[in-house]
Amino acid sequence: QVQLVESGGGLVQAGGSLRLSCAASGRAFSTYAMGWFRQAPGKEREFVAGITRSGAITNYADSVKGRFTISRDNAKNTVYLQMNSLKPEDTAVYYCAATSSIVIVTIIHEYDYWGQGTQVTVSS
């Protein structure tokens, strides 16, 4: 079992920045690839960014490429999502998730554990 707790969400103006954190407890954090997803009201949950177990490889949705950066600190059992140049369309609940896959996966059902989510609201 892995427990995931997100933090760092909030209200920010367009063009601003936020850094989300996801703290993991339970089984060895470094054995999981991690992902960030988001879900806006009335929309399906979508992949935002992923990172491999070691942190060597990352992947991003086209909508956030160049603005968001995913990273992890296995010593602190934490994965981060640095979000810059935020836009109103980035408004959503952001979730972190863990997968036993050895590669980055973008499909929701490939993830084994999920956090409770943190709200990000970007005002125009």
Side-chain angles (χ1 to χ4, degrees), residues 12-104:
V12 64
Q13 288 188 333
S17 298
L18 282 175
R19 188 174 85 152
L20 305 183
S21 299
C22 174
S25 60
R27 283 194 59 190
F29 176 68
S30 61
T31 65
Y32 291 92
M34 300 296 295
W36 283 98
F37 288 75
R38 66 186 181 187
Q39 187 166 17
K43 295 188 176 182
E44 294 185 352
R45 193 170 299 189
E46 63 177 2
F47 173 81
V48 174
I51 190 166
T52 52
R53 296 171 178 179
S54 68
I57 301 173
T58 58
N59 188 28
Y60 299 91
D62 288 343
S63 59
V64 307
K65 206 169 289 184
R67 300 188 297 123
F68 290 12
T69 302
I70 188 172
S71 62
R72 67 189 296 163
D73 185 337
N74 285 344
K76 295 183 178 180
N77 288 356
T78 302
V79 61
Y80 305 96
L81 186 67
Q82 177 66 44
M83 305 186 295
N84 299 329
S85 303
L86 283 161
K87 305 175 181 180
E89 51 264 43
D90 294 318
T91 295
V93 177
Y94 283 71
Y95 300 89
C96 71
T99 174
S100 56
S101 172
I102 61 172
V103 297
I104 296 170

